[in-house]
Amino acid sequence: KTMNFSGQQKQLVKPPQRGIFPLDHDGECKIRMREYLQCLDEEKRNHYKCKAFSRAYLQCRMDSDLMAIEDLDGLGYSNEADVKTAPVSKEGIKASEGFTAGKHIEKSRKWFWQ
């Protein structure tokens, strides 16, 4: 904090934290972004199938000085980090089989002091 001529304190501007980068106001990477978003729509939001588009978008941002240059392999874009199949989700299986939470409890529970 610093003091200005009126005696009021003024906040100092801090640089952005890691992971925060400027918006693409000039649309330098708009095509790459749209390709990635289109892939997400086509693949029903399975982001691991759109990894190449995501990588290209981040590379464009780095090349355009819209974010710090990073090693993309270290960010999960290496060949070893490739996902070949979708993770199996069990979400909704019980509900589709007619399970209702709490319905399986037949007798009421008493408190430990009762």
Side-chain angles (χ1 to χ4, degrees):
K1 294 182 181 183
T2 60
M3 299 288 276
N4 63 12
F5 68 90
S6 65
Q8 295 176 342
Q9 290 186 351
K10 191 167 118 180
Q11 293 283 13
L12 290 177
V13 178
K14 296 180 183 178
Q17 297 175 358
R18 178 183 167 100
I20 298 174
F21 40 84
L23 296 175
D24 187 7
H25 292 291
D26 296 328
E28 297 175 61
C29 298
K30 197 172 205 173
I31 292 170
R32 299 285 187 197
M33 177 194 65
R34 285 192 174 151
E35 290 171 343
Y36 175 61
L37 294 175
Q38 181 180 353
C39 178
L40 287 175
D41 287 340
E42 291 170 0
E43 298 296 339
K44 299 177 183 167
R45 300 290 179 201
N46 291 322
H47 63 87
Y48 61 91
K49 292 184 178 182
C50 303
K51 196 171 186 177
F53 293 104
S54 175
R55 181 184 182 106
Y57 173 62
L58 290 177
Q59 189 64 54
C60 178
R61 289 190 64 88
M62 287 188 282
D63 294 344
S64 302
D65 290 328
L66 293 170
M67 66 180 280
I69 295 175
E70 297 278 341
D71 177 25
L72 290 175
D73 290 344
L75 294 175
Y77 289 93
S78 67
N79 291 334
E80 294 84 36
D82 280 347
V83 176
K84 303 296 181 204
T85 60
V88 178
S89 172
K90 297 190 182 202
E91 184 176 336
I93 291 176
K94 285 185 174 183
S96 67
E97 295 172 352
F99 176 81
T100 304
K103 190 175 181 183
H104 66 284
I105 301 172
E106 296 191 14
K107 70 177 198 175
S108 62
R109 295 184 182 243
K110 294 186 177 186
W111 296 102
F112 67 90
W113 62 82
Q114 293 178 328

